[in-house]
């Protein structure tokens, strides 16, 4: 029997936070709701997966990284927020690529949300 090796997707869906984000004066003073979605492509190790958290990329740690970025203070652009999140996720060498979507749901009245989605690959 051959051992399989593949890619696992670890994700955080619809993480909703209050953030100081935006270019307008009011956005620099009053937090607004953002929604962050993250999908990580993670290289699986050969052989069976031990049933132990230390052997996987933890979605809890990923969510805490996003919370820490938001807690650092004001960011002008959703693009910058997405880049910071992607960079933080790629510090784990097991992560082959990351897709990050940052949405601002309360900006344009006739739209469910606006924002940006990026994908970055481990170098």
């Amino acid at each position: 029997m051959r051992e399989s090796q593949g890619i696992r997707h670890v994700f955080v869906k619809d993480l909703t936070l209050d953030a100081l984000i935006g270019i307008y004066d009011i956005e620099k003073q009053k937090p607004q709701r953002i929604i962050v979605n993250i999908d990580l492509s993670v290289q699986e190790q050969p052989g069976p997966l031990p049933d132990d958290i230390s052997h996987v990329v933890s979605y809890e740690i990923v969510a805490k990284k996003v919370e820490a970025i938001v807690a650092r203070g004001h960011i002008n652009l959703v693009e910058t927020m997405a880049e910071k999140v992607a960079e933080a996720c790629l510090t784990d060498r097991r992560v082959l690529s990351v897709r990050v979507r940052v949405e601002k749901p309360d900006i344009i009245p006739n739209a469910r949300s606006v924002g940006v989605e990026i994908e970055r690959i481990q170098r």
Side-chain angles (χ1 to χ4, degrees):
M1 181 176 190
R2 291 179 48 192
E3 291 184 1
S4 65
Q5 187 173 7
I7 295 174
R8 174 180 300 113
H9 284 266
V10 176
F11 64 91
V12 176
K13 185 175 181 182
D14 297 338
L15 179 63
T16 303
L17 302 167
D18 289 328
L20 288 170
I21 188 167
I23 60 171
Y24 299 109
D25 288 340
I26 189 71
E27 295 175 308
K28 295 177 182 181
Q29 299 164 9
K30 182 181 176 192
Q32 61 185 296
R33 191 165 57 116
I34 61 169
I35 301 169
V36 180
N37 284 278
I38 303 163
D39 183 350
L40 306 173
S41 295
V42 178
Q43 180 68 59
E44 292 183 332
Q45 299 304 311
L49 176 68
D51 192 20
D52 183 320
I53 189 81
S54 67
H55 294 275
V56 297
V57 174
S58 167
Y59 47 77
E60 179 182 17
I61 290 172
V62 171
K64 287 183 179 190
K65 286 179 179 185
V66 178
E67 292 168 352
I69 290 166
V70 168
R72 287 187 201 126
H74 181 266
I75 295 175
N76 282 330
L77 303 173
V78 291
E79 290 85 351
T80 303
M81 172 73 72
E83 291 291 349
K84 288 178 180 290
V85 171
E87 182 180 315
C89 291
L90 289 172
T91 60
D92 188 321
R93 299 302 294 175
R94 297 172 294 183
V95 176
L96 301 173
S97 67
V98 58
R99 180 173 289 184
V100 179
R101 175 185 290 227
V102 178
E103 300 176 60
K104 294 167 76 173
D106 305 318
I107 297 301
I108 297 180
N110 296 336
R112 182 180 300 171
S113 67
V114 296
V116 66
E117 181 173 286
I118 65 169
E119 187 169 0
R120 298 295 177 260
I121 299 169
Q122 187 76 261
R123 294 179 190 225

